[in-house]
Every structure is written in C-alpha cells, then in structure tokens.
Amino acid sequence: MPAAKQPEQPFLSDVKTLRERARQHLTQGAMTPAYKGDVKQAIEILQTVLATEIVCVLRYTMHSIAASGISSESVKEEFAVHAKEEHEHVLQVAERINQLGGKPNFNPEGLHTRSASQYVEGENLVDMIKENLIAERIAVDHYRELIRYFGDDDPGTKTMLQGILRTEEEHADDMHDLLVAHEGKPMLR
Ligand SMILES: [Fe+2]
Ligand SMILES: [Fe+2]
C-alpha cells in the first residue's frame, strides 16, 4: 500500500514554524503574519472608536456633576458609573491600537469630528438622559456594524468590540429605564 501523500501546505502551522515566525517579527508585537485584516484601515477605524469613547467619558462625567433637581442623586450616580465604564473602553481601544502598531489619538483637536457620538450638555435631567440614550444607541449600531466588518479577519479586535457592545447595550437599557422613571413614557424603540 503506498504511503499517504503528505500535503505540501499543512492546514495548521507546526509549532516550530510558528516560533520561527514569531522571532522574525519581534518588533511587530501582536501583529503576526497570520493577521488577515487591513491593519491601516483597522487602526483608522479604531481611532474613531477611541474618539467616540472619549466623548462618552466627557459627556457622562459632565452630566454626573451637573445633573440637578429632585431625585437627581441616583441618576448622577448612574452617570458616574457609566463614565467609569466608558473610560475602561477608552483604555481597551487605545491598547488595541497600540497592539496593532498604531499610536492612539488622544489629541483634543478634532476629537468631536472623529467621534461617532456627540457631546451634548442637555438643559435638564431628562434632556441629559435622552442625550445619553441617543449616544448609546448610536454606539450600539456602530459596534454591531464594526463587529461584522472585522469578522474573522481580526478576531482579537472583534472580541474586544463584542465585550464593549455588551456594556453599551446595558447602558442604553439603563438610560431607557431612567427616562421612563423620570418622564413616565418610553421612547420608541
Ligand atoms: Fe463605551
Ligand atoms: Fe456607553
């Protein structure tokens, strides 16, 4: 019986090849030759995500300080919790940009135009809640789209975005509940 023919290109790279490749590209950090995506494009997209998250930190922080009126205390607390979680997102995204070989853009100049969500102060408590709900819904849509975009070409970025999306969905839900509690009627979903 003839010996089974060895395929020339095994599906999985053997450990030795993986190690050799890793050593050859030490300066590239997490960027290995197996990365299938368009790195430049990925970094550019993540700069937008970073700006969006920074604007979210700023908006929630401002609201957590400025919210006033009867029963605002619990809302202020909620805004402060969200500000902290948005800050965690900022760190995660900046870290990913760095891993991909980019430089996270924290420049305040042009921040608002790079961001997908807006910085709106809001006139009163209900306004603030509404602005945050709008921003969260934009973020949720944006992240769903990006998760589809990155797909299997960049599972690392995709997984990170999936984690962030889960928090943004919770944020949107929280803002929706607050709106119902303070205005008495839900916004159309
Ligand atoms: Fe966020
Ligand atoms: Fe959020």
Side-chain angles (χ1 to χ4, degrees):
M1 211 173 109
K5 210 179 149 212
Q6 279 293 107
E8 280 174 17
Q9 275 263 295
F11 180 65
L12 290 168
S13 306
D14 60 80
V15 180
K16 191 169 160 268
T17 314
L18 285 177
R19 282 185 189 150
E20 271 167 12
R21 264 199 242 148
R23 218 165 279 140
Q24 276 165 15
H25 302 277
L26 277 181
T27 51
Q28 292 176 15
M31 280 307 304
T32 65
Y35 183 89
K36 289 208 199 99
D38 177 341
V39 192
K40 215 172 141 248
Q41 178 84 353
I43 291 170
E44 240 165 71
I45 291 170
L46 289 177
Q47 300 287 16
T48 305
V49 174
L50 179 63
T52 305
E53 293 294 347
I54 296 171
V55 168
C56 288
V57 173
L58 297 176
R59 195 189 55 254
Y60 272 124
T61 305
M62 192 276 173
H63 288 179
S64 74
I65 307 286
S68 61
I70 306 163
S71 69
S72 71
E73 279 314 307
S74 60
V75 181
K76 284 170 94 148
E77 254 169 57
E78 188 84 53
F79 287 163
V81 170
H82 284 202
K84 217 181 273 169
E85 288 170 346
E86 305 297 8
H87 183 242
E88 281 164 22
H89 295 165
V90 167
L91 297 179
Q92 281 179 51
V93 176
E95 191 60 48
R96 187 63 189 156
I97 291 172
N98 191 52
Q99 284 171 357
L100 293 174
K103 201 167 83 181
N105 189 355
F106 280 92
N107 194 339
E109 208 174 318
L111 179 67
H112 210 220
T113 39
R114 292 199 301 278
S115 164
S117 66
Q118 286 184 295
Y119 179 90
V120 183
E121 292 187 349
E123 293 288 303
N124 52 53
L125 198 62
V126 169
D127 260 9
M128 289 178 181
I129 300 169
K130 272 187 191 163
E131 285 309 329
N132 288 318
L133 179 54
I134 291 166
E136 294 296 354
R137 289 172 64 104
I138 291 170
V140 165
D141 274 350
H142 192 207
Y143 290 140
R144 281 197 188 131
E145 217 173 75
L146 292 184
I147 288 163
R148 272 198 300 272
Y149 169 82
F150 283 104
D152 297 331
D153 286 347
D154 184 347
T157 302
K158 181 184 166 188
T159 308
M160 177 195 71
L161 290 172
Q162 282 170 329
I164 295 179
L165 172 64
R166 260 195 299 281
T167 323
E168 308 301 10
E169 283 173 341
E170 278 170 29
H171 286 175
D173 246 9
D174 293 343
M175 289 302 118
H176 182 261
D177 291 349
L178 282 180
L179 192 65
V180 176
H182 288 265
E183 210 186 26
K185 59 176 191 291
M187 255 169 89
L188 287 175
R189 290 213 187 208

